[in-house]
Amino acid sequence: MLAVGLTGGIGSGKSTVADLLVKRGALLIDADRVAREVVAPGGPAYQPLLDRFGTSIRAPDGTIDRPALAALAFPDPEALAALNAITHPAVGIEMLSRRTAQEGTDHIVVLDIPLLRPEHRALLSLDLVLVVDTPPEVALDRLTTHRGMDRADAEARMAAQVSRETRREGADLVIDNAGDRAALGADVDRVWALLEAARDAKPDRSVPAPTES
């Protein structure tokens, strides 16, 4: 099994790349999806959120009202820290559990993590980090043209993220998404071949080493 951390800035096309990798055979573990699951009723972060922020964040159907939670947490640094302290460990534990469940297989497991930090590499035992790289002006155009975001909002979100240079410095592999869909597909093919080679070169850890008698 090969564990690959996938990341990229907002507007980079990371989700598109994740879909293309899945079509080529990757198994995807999506941090955003896991984050929604851990705050669902019965999830490990659900009751702690209600205990910390109160029942006003509970929607009529019993789920967490995410806009209401955001309105309480984001303007207040202390509340935001509490939110992160509740949700981040729960997401990390679940991501690690799903990644560990693939040990002993021949899968290429892609862990889609928008804010992948250096510590994630050790915590999730990532073999490689793959960055989807897009020039800021291209990303901004995609956000405003295709997603319909306000330009000032898009610029603010981009500015709040780590820099393009920092992401590239932490990458083992980079996918260039500055061009059209055909160019992206070709670069994904290139990277997929490298991932398959890296997986095949790993020792088979699912077979225990022989012991001396």
Side-chain angles (χ1 to χ4, degrees):
M1 187 267 282
L2 187 77
V4 182
L6 173 66
T7 194
I10 185 171
S12 66
K14 175 178 59 64
S15 296
T16 300
V17 169
D19 290 341
L20 291 172
L21 290 170
V22 168
K23 288 179 179 178
R24 285 155 177 78
L27 188 150
L28 180 65
I29 302 174
D30 186 338
D32 284 340
R33 186 175 302 168
V34 171
R36 291 191 293 271
E37 292 174 1
V38 300
V39 302
Y46 178 76
Q47 191 59 48
L49 286 176
L50 293 177
D51 292 342
R52 171 60 176 81
F53 293 98
T55 57
S56 66
I57 66 167
R58 185 166 56 197
D61 64 357
T63 62
I64 297 294
D65 184 334
R66 295 169 70 89
L69 176 58
L72 287 175
F74 285 99
D76 180 351
E78 183 179 347
L80 180 58
L83 171 63
N84 291 338
I86 293 169
T87 57
H88 286 185
V91 172
I93 289 169
E94 183 59 26
M95 294 281 287
L96 180 58
S97 175
R98 296 186 187 188
R99 176 237 178 273
T100 302
Q102 298 304 316
E103 286 286 2
T105 73
D106 64 351
H107 292 153
I108 294 175
V109 180
V110 173
L111 295 92
D112 184 341
I113 306 172
L115 301 177
L116 194 153
R117 297 187 296 273
E119 57 265 33
H120 289 137
R121 185 160 199 156
L123 289 171
L124 297 171
S125 299
L126 300 177
D127 296 301
L128 296 169
V129 170
L130 171 59
V131 168
V132 183
D133 182 60
T134 306
E137 62 274 12
V138 175
L140 181 61
D141 179 68
R142 288 172 180 161
L143 293 171
T144 56
T145 303
H146 301 299
R147 294 198 199 176
M149 290 180 62
D150 175 76
R151 184 180 182 89
D153 182 30
E155 289 177 336
R157 293 193 188 200
M158 292 174 64
Q161 296 186 329
V162 299
S163 69
R164 181 187 184 191
E165 292 72 23
T166 299
R167 275 193 298 270
R168 289 182 64 100
E169 286 173 2
D172 298 294
L173 296 168
V174 175
I175 285 181
D176 178 10
N177 192 19
D180 59 18
R181 186 62 177 260
L184 177 61
D187 210 30
V188 171
D189 283 338
R190 174 187 65 84
V191 167
W192 181 250
L194 294 173
L195 295 180
E196 288 185 311
R199 176 202 57 194
D200 295 343
K202 286 187 65 177
D204 184 357
R205 298 174 185 170
S206 65
V207 179
T211 57
E212 294 183 3
S213 55

